[in-house]
Amino acid sequence: MAKPTYDFAIVGAGIAGSACAYYLARAGRTCLLIEADEVASGASGFSAGLITPPIGLRLQPPMRELMLAAFDLHQELPETLGNGSGSGYELRHGGSVLVATEEAAAPALRSLLDDPVPRRRGARWLDPEQVGEVCPWIDQPQAGGIYEPSAGNLDPDRLTHAFCAAAQRAGARLAIDSVVSLEESGPGFRLRGSRDEYRADQVLLAAGPWTGTLAGQLGFKDSVNPLKGQILRLRLPPPHSAVGFSCPDGSYLAPRPDGQVWIGTTEESVGFDRATTDAARDLILARARRLCARIDQGEVIAQTACLRPVSRDGIPLIGPVPGIRGAWICTGHGRTGMLLGPVSARELVNLILERETALAMAPFDPARLGAASAPSGLETGESQ
Ligand SMILES: Cc1cc2nc3c(=O)[nH]c(=O)nc-3n(C[C@H](O)[C@H](O)[C@H](O)COP(=O)(O)OP(=O)(O)OC[C@H]3O[C@@H](n4cnc5c(N)ncnc54)[C@H](O)[C@@H]3O)c2cc1C
């Protein structure tokens, strides 16, 4: 029997690919979602799942509108995806404090509240003595902080599975296979996996940090790179609180509904290595200890490592693969892919279907990194 030709082959079932499959399938397109390992086996299964309202740099163009729309979309998603009916990924708005650990840093941090957007969401300045009252995890003196009551977190693995399941309910098919080669063939594309071959009229690359290798086969080189991050999952003695904290250096503590706290993180440019290390564990604990001395009484339950997809200029890549008709890319969301993945997918699908987008998408057009060169036709040889 002849193999089906799908409208779309989507490579990668992380948050980006699963959400793209969902929006395309819901629009009536036939979709094959191809995942090398398991759904959410990349960063989408192991991130901290912080759904943090944007502030500071994240409110600067070109990210401002995307960030704001992403945060708003997350408030609707539990209902859209059927949270509480088996796929519950537990978006909780526990609130969080962005901490000034030193006095010298406090004025600059406080000035972030000059922007009315965080203030409208209820963000407010905390004087030093209020920091530990609002966030009881913090038992060491701090110079102040911004309390963000709408900050939340969710289970990233479950959110990704919820999108994938919703895509399948809308008609998408999931294939577990590693795409090793990709080429234009007649009208459309031929994808060769380690198990099977597939044909699709259009292809959408959402393979996280591995997207660069696949896009390179279409001549779009050096688009995205991996940035490793590690997290510790702990149990800590009381008092517990739903309010977490983060610091301008990128470290954070996120309380989970099951009583665990997740603390992070690192930024390591070490290629595709996903091993956990003692050095990262020590660094994460040392940073957390500056705020929460109780950290040393904690029991480390797990240490995880995963890879963020980071584009060459740090801005997400959402749009056509330059010069290749019918090839699309959705990646490069770096540290905020759980927050941004759904809205990027929604807007990319609007672009693909030539519908009006809710946001100006030109700043995210991959063409800004340069046009594609002649396709190499090389095979990756990598499983993912
Ligand atoms: C430590 C850490 C903490 C983080 N915390 C947060 C946070 O709190 N909030 C937030 O918003 N973001 C956070 N992030 C970022 C977020 O996790 C990522 O940006 C996001 O998960 C990327 O999703 P993705 O779908 O693009 O990629 P991935 O999740 O990597 O998914 C890509 C998928 O493609 C598959 N694949 C790869 N190659 C192939 C192939 N050849 N064929 C078939 N399939 C393939 C992979 O197996 C994988 O499943 C964090 C990241 C890290 C590392």
Side-chain angles (χ1 to χ4, degrees), residues 5-376:
T5 296
Y6 293 88
D7 292 335
F8 287 87
I10 300 155
V11 186
I15 187 65
S18 299
C20 286
Y22 168 70
Y23 286 111
L24 280 169
R26 232 185 42 168
R29 301 307 188 268
T30 58
C31 296
L32 177 67
L33 179 60
I34 310 174
E35 166 54 48
D37 190 346
E38 288 173 8
V39 174
S41 54
S44 301
F46 297 93
S47 93
L50 301 175
I51 301 301
T52 312
I55 191 164
L57 275 181
R58 291 179 181 172
L59 282 175
Q60 298 301 312
M63 296 305 292
R64 185 180 175 98
E65 299 309 323
L66 191 69
M67 285 276 177
L68 290 171
F71 189 74
D72 288 347
L73 179 59
H74 269 284
Q75 315 314 310
E76 298 164 16
L77 281 178
E79 197 175 328
T80 315
L81 296 176
N83 197 5
S85 62
S87 67
Y89 57 83
E90 302 167 77
L91 174 60
R92 286 203 315 167
H93 294 284
S96 186
V97 178
L98 180 55
V99 184
T101 52
E102 290 160 18
E103 240 166 73
L109 194 69
R110 189 170 190 164
S111 72
L112 301 183
L113 289 173
D114 293 346
D115 189 323
V117 167
R119 290 203 314 273
R120 275 203 295 270
R121 281 194 312 259
R124 63 184 167 89
W125 180 252
L126 300 177
D127 289 329
E129 66 281 5
Q130 296 174 301
V131 171
E133 285 166 22
V134 171
C135 179
W137 300 109
I138 302 176
D139 54 20
Q140 298 301 295
Q142 305 299 325
I146 294 175
Y147 174 50
E148 287 266 22
S150 61
N153 64 38
L154 49 73
D155 184 319
D157 178 68
R158 285 196 190 180
L159 173 65
T160 308
H161 275 92
F163 262 114
C164 189
Q168 289 175 278
R169 284 198 300 274
R173 210 197 116 204
L174 173 67
I176 299 299
D177 200 352
S178 176
V179 174
V180 290
S181 80
L182 166 66
E183 62 187 15
E184 288 182 278
S185 160
F189 295 84
R190 190 167 70 101
L191 298 92
R192 195 154 61 75
S194 34
R195 296 184 182 161
D196 210 341
E197 277 192 13
Y198 312 94
R199 288 200 56 89
D201 293 338
Q202 304 194 48
V203 68
L204 196 160
L205 306 179
W210 297 275
T211 307
T213 318
L214 295 164
Q217 294 188 39
L218 295 176
F220 186 44
K221 302 258 167 65
D222 191 22
S223 52
V224 58
N225 288 298
L227 183 64
K228 179 170 156 183
Q230 302 193 43
I231 290 180
L232 299 180
R233 302 180 183 187
L234 299 99
R235 277 195 201 288
L236 287 180
H240 287 187
S241 164
V243 182
F245 66 75
S246 63
C247 300
D249 69 4
S251 55
Y252 52 78
L253 178 149
R256 312 293 306 181
D258 62 2
Q260 290 186 18
V261 294
W262 291 9
I263 59 172
T265 181
T266 57
E267 292 194 347
E268 305 164 62
S269 294
V270 289
F272 288 92
D273 168 35
R274 283 193 275 179
T276 57
T277 63
D278 290 346
R281 175 192 162 114
D282 293 347
L283 177 71
I284 294 168
L285 286 171
R287 283 185 174 158
R289 195 178 293 121
R290 286 176 314 176
L291 292 94
C292 174
R294 272 187 296 144
I295 216 82
D296 290 321
Q297 300 162 32
E299 175 201 355
V300 177
I301 297 161
Q303 180 173 357
T304 60
C306 55
L307 304 174
R308 309 171 182 95
V310 180
S311 72
R312 211 192 308 153
D313 63 2
I315 306 291
L317 296 163
I318 312 164
V321 173
I324 308 289
R325 199 178 159 76
W328 306 88
I329 200 163
C330 186
T331 190
H333 295 103
R335 291 188 68 133
T336 48
M338 300 313 299
L339 174 66
L340 295 176
V343 82
S344 297
R346 185 192 74 188
E347 293 302 286
L348 177 58
V349 169
N350 282 336
L351 268 183
I352 292 172
L353 302 181
E354 297 180 359
R355 294 171 172 169
E356 197 179 337
T357 56
L359 305 168
M361 296 305 287
F364 309 106
D365 188 338
R368 70 184 187 274
L369 297 186
S373 50
S376 67

